[in-house]
Amino acid sequence: CKDCIYYPVCSPSVYKYADTGLGSPNGSVNSYTLTYIKDTTLESKTYKKFSVTGQGNTYFNCTAGVSTSIILNGTTQGGNTISYAKVTVLKENAPVNATWTDTLTASGQTALYNYKIVSKGVPRTVGGNTYPDVIHVHEQTTLNLMGTVIPAGQSEYYYAKGIGLIESISIDDFTGAQILHHVLISATIP
């Protein structure tokens, strides 16, 4: 289960996160838990199925350092329902400045998720814990509206060696406001 050391999703892993988002009253924090359910086969690959408190299920696969997430019947940041979304969240063996793109279409609207590895092997302190070996990934979302590409948002993702996602920060490109701060509270990884 630890094929990917920067995103080791295993049985019976449990990840607890706290989210602070735009519009949260008085900076309130919403907590949720990502809990391993079982292995399942999607697209001829073994995925780890996780329940997400109040949000349904998500599926993770890691093969040769490439971490992929699939969401079935999910909701986009814009509030659209999407029946299938597959994104490559991390390419841990790629060098700094490596890039890749995922394309998702929902309700006739196409979004491009452009990723870039910003740094590798650097420390980051999150929630009072210092993680000595972290990969930082920048993601820029753009929308293709009738041939015009419009920046929609950007996120910073931080993956710690032996742990996985420890923090993400999302910014709305239209307003410049932080719309989500996602922080790891605890992780149980066998």
Side-chain angles (χ1 to χ4, degrees), residues 73-134:
N73 300 315
T75 304
T76 66
Q77 283 186 350
N80 292 322
T81 299
I82 189 165
S83 61
Y84 173 88
K86 179 180 178 182
V87 292
T88 301
V89 295
L90 180 62
K91 292 187 175 185
E92 68 183 47
N93 296 328
V96 170
N97 293 321
T99 61
W100 66 95
T101 300
D102 287 314
T103 303
L104 298 177
T105 302
S107 302
Q109 184 176 357
T110 300
L112 298 175
Y113 295 83
N114 302 295
Y115 299 88
K116 179 179 181 180
I117 295 180
V118 176
S119 62
K120 295 178 83 170
V122 296
R124 182 149 184 98
T125 301
V126 176
N129 297 312
T130 299
Y131 302 92
D133 188 348
V134 173

Side-chain angles (χ1 to χ4, degrees), residues 19-30:
D19 288 349
T20 305
L22 182 66
S24 297
N26 300 319
S28 65
V29 176
N30 296 316

Side-chain angles (χ1 to χ4, degrees), residues 18-55:
D19 288 349
T20 305
L22 182 66
S24 297
N26 300 319
S28 65
V29 176
N30 296 316
S31 298
Y32 73 91
T33 303
L34 197 68
T35 305
Y36 172 83
I37 298 173
K38 67 177 185 175
D39 285 1
T40 190
T41 301
L42 296 169
E43 301 178 346
S44 302
K45 289 186 179 181
T46 300
Y47 278 77
K48 306 293 184 190
K49 181 178 181 180
F50 280 78
S51 69
V52 183
T53 306
Q55 299 178 28

Side-chain angles (χ1 to χ4, degrees), residues 52-74:
V52 183
T53 306
Q55 299 178 28
N57 300 320
T58 190
Y59 303 81
F60 295 100
N61 172 274
C62 183
T63 303
V66 177
S67 295
T68 304
S69 175
I70 293 179
I71 299 170
L72 303 175
N73 300 315

